[in-house]
Amino acid sequence: MPHIVVEYTDNLRDETDVRELLVQMNGVFIARPETFPVGGIRSRAIALTDYVVADGTADDAFVHTQIRIGAGRSEEEKKDVCDALFHVMEDYFKDLFSERYLALSLELYEFPVSGTYKKNNIHERYNRV
């Protein structure tokens, strides 16, 4: 963990490079390795083809990000990372935001300790001395 899931309306596909947004979002977590081990970071984007924004009469767009983390971080750590991630989103879409109707949102989900199963050998690459 963490996992980043960016859902975006496909009318943004030709106007943005969503992979670059994912790279920048991963960077927020990479900058906090003591809180979020690098080997656990996953990000993905899902282009939505079936959606209606507001009353559906305009070419409105949205980008919604879900952050999923394991339990154990303080409220300050969670607020810090969410503030930084939303800042990345705002900065990344600032030009589009000034040119078209666009809604940005972000939410954090924290998994409980029980009910989460993980197996990951990627951590080994980052823990070598």
Side-chain angles (χ1 to χ4, degrees), residues 52-122:
V52 176
V53 180
D55 65 2
T57 60
D59 188 36
D60 298 331
F62 71 83
V63 179
H64 177 71
T65 300
Q66 296 176 8
I67 307 301
R68 300 173 182 167
I69 63 172
R73 278 74 176 195
S74 70
E75 290 302 314
E76 293 80 19
E77 289 168 325
K78 291 185 284 189
K79 181 176 180 350
D80 171 63
V81 77
C82 286
D83 287 349
L85 287 164
F86 199 70
H87 177 73
V88 165
M89 289 178 67
E90 288 177 312
D91 188 57
Y92 189 80
F93 288 105
K94 69 182 172 202
D95 292 338
L96 271 180
F97 202 85
S98 68
E99 297 170 3
R100 63 157 28 255
Y101 291 109
L102 174 63
L104 303 176
S105 56
L106 179 140
E107 62 184 328
L108 176 73
Y109 290 99
E110 186 175 29
F111 288 106
V113 175
S114 63
T116 301
Y117 300 84
K118 298 177 268 189
K119 184 174 181 178
N120 178 351
N121 68 0
I122 298 170

Side-chain angles (χ1 to χ4, degrees), residues 4-59:
I4 305 163
V5 180
V6 176
E7 296 176 328
Y8 66 99
T9 54
D10 71 345
N11 59 352
L12 295 174
R13 188 171 288 195
D14 294 335
E15 300 176 61
T16 189
D17 176 3
V18 175
R19 187 178 191 289
E20 177 56 30
L21 174 64
L22 297 177
V23 168
Q24 290 182 28
M25 294 180 116
N26 277 23
V28 169
F29 290 103
I30 290 168
R32 294 159 175 80
E34 67 288 343
T35 307
F36 299 99
V38 175
I41 302 167
R42 313 277 186 280
S43 60
R44 54 205 170 268
I46 302 166
L48 304 171
T49 56
D50 298 313
Y51 57 88
V52 176
V53 180
D55 65 2
T57 60
D59 188 36

